[in-house]
């Protein structure tokens, strides 16, 4: 008899491990299968996010920011430092330790919640059976489940023009492992990951050039905010070449990156090249064709509003399904599906998922951009406030950027909040909550904000929607 479970989750990234823990909390017998193997050759939980994504990238962003500050940001505070030295291997080792701590933490949570961790490959068969191929054994097992949750995440997109070798041409994973600072670094794709990786190595001393195929910088971001960010990043030394489509790379003594822009064919010589052109859903050998599981034309597993697939009892969540490829979106889907399986109501507010780009200044937003209001014909009003006029930002010597609030012209309901500036990643939480509760700009304007805090910039932007800001002209 096949071992049977109430729920089998395939994939232990943020989506899968949240789903598994919540299922177990709700009293369901739960197993979670994951095939990820860390650099030490051991199975590790946490998926892309904890191992090679969100967490290690933020560790290096923080380290590189400290280095940058030690070199450039302390004089004005009256702090003189001597010769600042960089030790990249120690920086990478610190990042690796953090990853180990976080992935180990998920293993402990599995233990505490009685989620059975099965290290190996999972494949959906018909009738809610799952074929499990353990990492360390040749034999396969067939498991039976009442419900199966597919949470297999995503993989970097590889383009023919720049095949990844994880040595000179690397994915984001390789860009987290450089043991020395490349003198010249090329990055294909000026999206979220390209900008974060470019920032790390630029702060550590690389000459970074980003080649972006689109003519618009950060097209999904509110135009005013993207413009401001582009100006700041360029001042910081990131060279962003727009309308630049990479066509070929040649490896000689130097790495030549050939691309085309409106002026014709161009070549860039670099030491290392990061390919950050997006990610694709990871469904390799995930399901037998007998299951009849539907995927869409881009390879995402097709799901409905509650992440149900077309196969009864089979759900899919996280990067492997439609919607933004963000860890917290997958986490919420994981919790929702667990609740639905346990017979409780489940819901994800897809309209209020925050986005963050962890550059310095950070960029964060939620809801509609001004351009999307225009194209949808929604009447709107905007309020803005610059950090340069916020006392706390001045005291911190971190005054670049602004907050922008977009509210419905007639109802005053907040439609979108956009921030480029210090700690935007934290400040956006207030906006998400406000939108979740259908707040108006006036609601936010009448909410007391502590002084002096960066959040006062959000408050003033809300006041400015009705031209009642105090610390700026209206
Ligand atoms: P994943 O995290 O990809 O996990 C899927 C897991 O399933 C993996 O462990 C994989 O090995 C396993 N798996 C796949 N197929 C099988 C199979 N058949 N059998 C067994 N196991 C299988 N998002 C943010 O929200 N904030 C950030 O700051 C952020 N930074 C990022 C930085 C980088 C460099 C990268 C690459 C991504 C970043 N992301 C960030 C995106 C984030 O990592 C993903 O959105 C998130 O990891 C998706 O979670 P998931 O659970 O759907 O899949
Ligand atoms: P993201 O989707 O945020 O990861 O960003 C990926 C970026 O890579 C997008 O802005 C794409 O326009 C860009 N991109 C995709 N293919 C190419 C290419 N061949 N050359 C340059 N940029 C590209």
């Amino acid at each position: 008899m096949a071992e049977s479970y109430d729920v089998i989750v395939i994939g232990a990234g943020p989506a899968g491990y949240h789903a598994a823990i919540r299922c177990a909390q709700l009293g369901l017998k739960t197993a979670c299968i994951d095939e990820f193997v860390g650099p030490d050759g051991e199975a590790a939980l946490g998926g892309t996010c904890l191992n090679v994504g969100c967490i290690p990238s933020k560790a290096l962003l923080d380290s590189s920011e400290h280095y940058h500050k030690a070199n450039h940001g302390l004089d004005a505070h009256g702090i003189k430092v001597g010769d600042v030295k960089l030790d990249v291997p120690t920086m990478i080792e610190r990042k690796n330790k953090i990853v180990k701590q976080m992935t180990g933490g998920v293993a402990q949570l599995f233990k505490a919640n009685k989620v059975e961790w099965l290290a190996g490959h999972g494949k959906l068969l018909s009738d809610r059976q799952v074929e499990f191929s353990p990492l360390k054994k040749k034999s396969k097992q067939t498991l039976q489940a009442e419900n199966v949750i597919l949470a297999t995440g995503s993989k970097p997109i590889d383009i023919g023009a720049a095949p990844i070798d994880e040595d000179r041409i690397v994915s984001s994973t390789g860009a987290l492992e450089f043991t020395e600072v490349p003198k010249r670094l090329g990055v294909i794709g000026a999206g979220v990951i390209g900008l974060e990786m470019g920032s790390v190595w630029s702060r550590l001393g690389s000459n970074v050039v980003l080649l972006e195929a689109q003519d618009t910088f950060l097209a999904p971001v509110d135009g005013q905010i993207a413009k401001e960010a582009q100006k700041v990043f360029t001042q910081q030394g990131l060279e962003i070449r727009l309308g630049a489509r990479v066509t070929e790379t040649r490896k000689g003594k130097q790495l030549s990156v050939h691309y085309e822009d409106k002026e014709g064919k161009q070549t860039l010589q670099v030491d290392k090249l990061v390919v950050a052109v997006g990610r694709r859903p990871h469904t390799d050998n995930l399901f037998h064709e007998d299951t009849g599981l539907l995927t869409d034309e881009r390879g995402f597993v097709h799901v409905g509003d509650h992440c149900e697939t077309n196969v009864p009892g089979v759900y899919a969540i996280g990067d492997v399904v439609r919607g933004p490829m963000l860890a917290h979106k997958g986490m919420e889907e994981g919790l929702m599906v667990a609740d639905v399986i346990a017979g409780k109501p489940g819901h994800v507010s897809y309209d209020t998922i925050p986005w963050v780009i962890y550059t310095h200044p950070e960029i964060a937003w939620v809801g509609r951009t001004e351009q999307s209001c225009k194209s949808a014909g929604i009447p709107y009003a905007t309020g803005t406030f610059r950090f340069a006029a916020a006392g706390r930002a001045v005291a911190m010597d971190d005054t670049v950027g602004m907050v922008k609030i977009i509210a419905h012209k007639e109802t005053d309901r907040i439609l979108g909040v956009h921030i480029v500036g210090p700690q935007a990643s934290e400040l956006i939480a207030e906006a998400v909550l406000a939108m979740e509760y259908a707040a108006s700009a006036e609601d936010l304007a009448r909410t007391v904000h502590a002084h002096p805090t960066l959040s006062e910039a959000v408050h003033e932007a809300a006041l400015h929607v009705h031209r009642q800001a105090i610390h700026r002209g209206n």
Side-chain angles (χ1 to χ4, degrees):
M1 263 272 285
E3 174 84 44
S4 80
Y5 297 88
D6 294 323
V7 183
I8 295 179
V9 184
I10 306 181
Y17 89 72
H18 275 67
I21 290 174
R22 174 57 64 85
C23 284
Q25 285 172 344
L26 292 168
L28 301 164
K29 182 180 172 192
T30 308
C32 185
I33 304 177
D34 194 286
E35 65 188 5
F36 191 90
V37 177
D40 56 0
E42 294 299 321
L45 296 168
T48 304
C49 178
L50 267 57
N51 289 284
V52 291
C54 327
I55 298 297
S57 60
K58 264 80 261 175
L60 290 188
L61 277 157
D62 271 321
S63 295
S64 59
E65 185 61 19
H66 285 313
Y67 177 72
H68 184 78
K69 276 221 174 99
N71 271 314
H72 304 285
L74 296 179
D75 261 15
H77 290 264
I79 302 169
K80 305 271 175 220
V81 285
D83 199 10
V84 180
K85 290 206 174 70
L86 180 64
D87 175 356
V88 178
T90 300
M91 199 176 275
I92 299 290
E93 192 43 42
R94 172 186 172 274
K95 180 261 304 175
N96 292 344
K97 270 193 199 141
I98 291 165
V99 168
K100 194 105 190 130
Q101 181 188 336
M102 301 305 293
T103 59
V106 179
Q108 277 171 10
L109 289 172
F110 271 16
K111 220 174 182 176
N113 286 283
K114 301 197 172 49
V115 174
E116 192 175 336
W117 172 12
L118 302 174
H121 185 82
K123 180 175 180 176
L124 179 71
L125 307 176
S126 47
D127 300 324
R128 302 177 203 184
Q129 291 197 320
V130 173
E131 181 186 84
F132 168 53
S133 312
L135 277 179
K136 291 192 172 164
K137 283 191 216 147
K138 283 237 157 70
S139 62
K140 291 182 179 174
Q141 280 169 260
T142 303
L143 311 173
Q144 182 70 52
E146 282 293 311
N147 301 277
V148 179
I149 304 175
L150 308 174
T152 48
S154 60
K155 291 249 164 213
I157 293 175
D158 209 342
I159 50 171
I164 291 166
D165 57 22
E166 295 298 13
D167 175 26
R168 294 172 78 186
I169 304 181
V170 301
S171 68
S172 55
T173 303
L176 296 166
E177 296 297 336
F178 294 153
T179 46
E180 54 187 54
V181 180
K183 217 162 166 241
R184 291 157 315 162
L185 178 67
V187 180
I188 312 181
V192 177
I193 294 176
L195 282 169
E196 290 187 4
M197 292 297 106
S199 295
V200 166
W201 295 105
S202 160
R203 289 169 194 170
L204 298 178
S206 266
N207 284 318
V208 177
V209 179
L210 293 122
L211 302 171
E212 167 55 55
Q214 295 196 52
D215 294 323
T216 312
F217 180 62
L218 286 177
V221 174
D222 184 88
Q224 193 178 359
I225 298 289
K227 226 180 188 169
E228 176 100 7
Q230 187 180 358
K231 199 173 79 194
V232 182
F233 297 154
T234 306
Q235 279 164 0
Q236 287 173 356
L238 281 180
E239 200 181 320
I240 302 161
R241 298 187 190 169
L242 297 175
R245 177 161 289 281
V246 174
T247 52
E248 196 190 351
T249 42
R250 280 194 211 145
K251 289 183 206 161
K253 215 167 161 205
Q254 300 193 321
L255 185 56
S256 310
V257 184
H258 299 268
Y259 65 95
E260 285 173 20
D261 61 16
K262 55 180 184 306
E263 266 135 45
K265 294 190 171 166
Q266 315 280 357
T267 307
L268 173 74
Q269 308 283 355
V270 294
D271 302 304
K272 299 265 187 191
L273 180 66
V274 183
V275 182
V277 295
R279 297 179 63 83
R280 63 168 177 89
H282 183 193
T283 54
D284 308 350
N285 194 26
L286 173 61
F287 56 94
H288 196 281
E289 60 183 34
D290 286 357
T291 57
L293 187 81
L294 287 179
T295 53
D296 69 16
E297 64 288 354
R298 291 163 64 208
F300 290 97
V301 176
H302 179 76
V303 288
D305 287 348
H306 291 92
C307 291
E308 70 284 12
T309 71
N310 64 310
V311 182
V314 178
Y315 300 82
I317 56 176
D319 279 12
V320 80
V321 302
R322 82 300 178 246
M325 285 185 163
L326 294 169
H328 42 282
K329 173 264 193 184
M331 294 172 181
E332 291 305 316
E333 289 180 334
L335 301 182
M336 167 178 74
V337 165
D339 283 343
V340 167
I341 290 174
K344 294 152 76 78
H347 173 74
V348 173
S349 301
Y350 286 102
D351 290 342
T352 53
I353 295 174
W355 286 78
V356 180
I357 309 179
Y358 294 84
T359 41
H360 193 102
E362 293 178 339
I363 304 171
W365 72 99
V366 56
R368 282 191 180 273
T369 58
E370 200 172 332
Q371 59 266 29
S372 96
C373 289
K374 269 193 191 133
S375 61
I378 300 170
Y380 65 91
T382 63
T384 55
F385 194 78
R386 293 200 158 272
F387 286 100
R392 185 66 193 275
V394 176
M396 289 163 65
D397 196 15
D398 211 346
T399 52
V400 170
M402 66 194 288
V403 178
K404 172 172 178 176
I405 295 182
I406 304 172
H408 196 283
K409 184 106 187 145
E410 285 137 25
T411 65
D412 196 37
R413 183 171 172 164
I414 299 171
L415 302 172
V417 178
H418 305 269
I419 307 174
V420 53
Q423 299 179 28
S425 59
E426 302 293 339
L427 293 175
I428 202 68
E430 171 183 22
V432 175
L433 192 68
M435 286 184 65
E436 181 69 32
Y437 283 81
S440 62
E442 186 183 344
D443 287 329
L444 206 49
R446 288 185 185 275
T447 303
V448 181
H449 289 71
H451 174 75
T453 60
L454 295 173
S455 73
E456 286 175 295
V458 178
H459 187 221
E460 287 271 9
L463 284 163
H464 187 242
V465 171
H466 300 291
R467 300 300 177 260
Q468 291 181 332
I470 299 298
H471 295 92
R472 62 157 294 175
N474 285 297

